[in-house]
Amino acid sequence: MSADTAVPARTPVRPAGYGLVRVGKRARFLVHRRAGVVAAALVALLVAVCVAYLCVGENFVAPAEVVRVLFGQPSPDELVVGTLRLPRMVVGLLVGAAFGVAGALIQTVARNPLASPDIIGISQGASALTVAAMTFGLTSYTVLPYLSVVGGIAAAALVYVFAWRGGLHATRFVLIGIGFAIALRSLTTLFLTKGDYLVAQQAQIWMTGSLNGRGWDEAAPIGWALVVLFPAVLWAARAQRTVSMDDDTATALGVRLGRVRLGLVALGVVLASVATGTAGPVDFVALLAPQIARRMTRTAQIPLLCSALLGAVIVVFADLLARRLFSPTELPVGVLTAAVGAPYLIWLIIRGHGGRAGGNA
């Protein structure tokens, strides 16, 4: 074939709003431009919040000394920053990121902004088993996250079974989840009344969601869980696109929707349960972070990276306020997140988003 009659190579069609990022010679990725800008801004905000967290306290530490401690250089503030504040902040970062991704995955499958782990009973299931263990004398924070995973998975399985009626309708899924959340919270209260007073008091603080006393021992389980689950999160980011399609289109493309949805929900349940076992049920983080991220990026599906970053920002900033608002008294971080999340939940219900977003999921 001559050069005059050669067929020109086709340029791949690129969706509007996306840019092509090259990694090496062969690897290419489509990245939503606005989502990339928002993620970069959230990273900068998260760094600023973390620096403020390490600097502010009963004794103010200069940012230069914080940097010295982080880089392992000798500093008179090594005890305050490296031993007291840094481990607690790392736990807050991991917990917030886990809740953010968990909420994004479950809301994606349910197609409902109300489908948050702390609304549909997952956090309550994790709490019930964890408080039961604490009531019977198991108070090790290194073991509690694993028990929370079991409780969260059990609660999610019950909600899934009772909500299934020839399909998974989003509104029915949320309503049955709310019913299980109330029942499981009542069961948790029963455990509290049967336990020792001091243990019950400790469990009550844990149920509010608190980072008080958290350190490297508590950061290790959730840190390893996030490392192990990272490949699954990468898969979930890709699988979200097919779940966001209507059922007929996805099925025509050969997507096994049942398996994909089950995988996304299972991943979200595990992340929410591990986070709950680490810091308690920090309410409304999984509800707020994904919806704010989606409104900021204006993407078709909820962005997992931005949800994780927003979840981390919310928890760390809320814990900073919890430490300093009524100093020297420290509030549980869940008190601050609930103070913001509860009005947002009421606004969602009044606007009727839960009903309009419903559909066959």
Side-chain angles (χ1 to χ4, degrees):
M1 184 179 290
S2 64
D4 294 334
T5 59
V7 178
R10 291 184 178 181
T11 303
V13 178
R14 188 182 307 170
Y18 283 80
L20 187 63
V21 176
R22 300 175 184 269
V23 180
K25 295 182 179 180
R26 296 184 178 181
R28 301 177 181 180
F29 300 92
L30 282 176
V31 177
H32 193 274
R33 295 190 184 93
R34 184 180 179 89
V37 172
V38 171
L42 288 175
V43 169
L45 176 62
L46 182 59
V47 171
V49 171
C50 289
V51 171
Y53 190 97
L54 296 175
C55 291
V56 177
E58 292 185 8
N59 298 317
F60 180 80
V61 179
E65 292 300 321
V66 169
V67 173
R68 290 174 62 88
V69 173
L70 294 179
F71 281 92
Q73 300 178 3
S75 171
D77 298 300
E78 183 174 357
L79 175 63
V80 174
V81 175
T83 303
L84 299 179
R85 297 179 187 173
L86 181 60
R88 177 170 170 168
M89 184 194 75
V90 171
V91 173
L93 288 173
L94 298 176
V95 167
F99 273 129
V101 175
L105 294 176
I106 295 174
Q107 289 175 17
T108 296
V109 174
R111 298 177 184 175
N112 193 313
L114 297 179
S116 174
D118 47 351
I119 301 295
I120 61 173
I122 295 173
S123 295
Q124 287 77 10
S127 299
L129 186 57
T130 304
V131 171
M134 297 175 70
T135 301
F136 291 102
L138 181 60
T139 57
S140 173
Y141 287 110
T142 57
V143 178
L144 293 182
Y146 303 105
L147 294 175
S148 295
V149 172
V150 177
I153 292 175
L158 287 173
V159 173
Y160 190 89
V161 168
F162 278 85
W164 182 270
R165 293 291 184 276
L168 191 63
H169 192 275
T171 303
R172 182 170 59 242
F173 178 74
V174 172
L175 292 177
I176 290 179
I178 292 174
F180 270 99
I182 296 172
L184 289 169
R185 191 176 291 274
S186 299
L187 181 62
T188 304
T189 304
L190 176 63
F191 287 136
L192 291 175
T193 58
K194 297 296 183 181
D196 179 76
Y197 174 77
L198 294 179
V199 174
Q201 189 177 29
Q202 182 183 9
Q204 188 67 47
I205 295 174
W206 178 87
M207 285 180 57
T208 310
S210 176
L211 297 179
N212 294 351
R214 303 301 192 271
W216 296 121
D217 290 339
E218 292 74 36
I222 188 173
W224 281 113
L226 292 180
V227 170
V228 172
L229 294 174
F230 184 71
V233 174
L234 293 179
W235 164 81
R238 185 181 183 90
Q240 271 187 309
R241 301 174 185 175
T242 58
V243 174
S244 300
M245 303 176 184
D246 63 89
D247 291 2
D248 294 336
T249 302
T251 303
L253 293 174
V255 178
R256 297 181 177 180
L257 281 176
R259 295 184 180 182
V260 173
R261 286 168 176 160
L262 183 60
L264 293 177
V265 169
L267 179 58
V269 169
V270 171
L271 288 171
S273 301
V274 172
T276 300
T278 302
V282 184
D283 290 335
F284 297 111
V285 176
L287 175 73
L288 287 171
Q291 290 303 308
I292 296 175
R294 188 172 189 176
R295 283 165 171 76
M296 293 176 68
T297 59
R298 301 176 186 173
T299 52
Q301 60 272 346
I302 302 174
L304 295 188
L305 177 59
C306 293
S307 297
L309 291 171
L310 264 172
V313 169
I314 291 172
V315 173
V316 173
F317 184 66
D319 192 49
L320 174 61
L321 294 179
R323 288 195 295 119
R324 299 308 304 159
L325 279 180
F326 298 97
S327 180
T329 302
E330 292 189 6
L331 297 175
V333 64
V335 173
L336 273 297
T337 58
V340 177
Y344 179 75
L345 175 61
I346 295 172
W347 177 79
L348 275 179
I349 296 174
I350 292 175
R351 288 284 301 268
H353 284 194
R356 287 198 299 268
N360 288 330

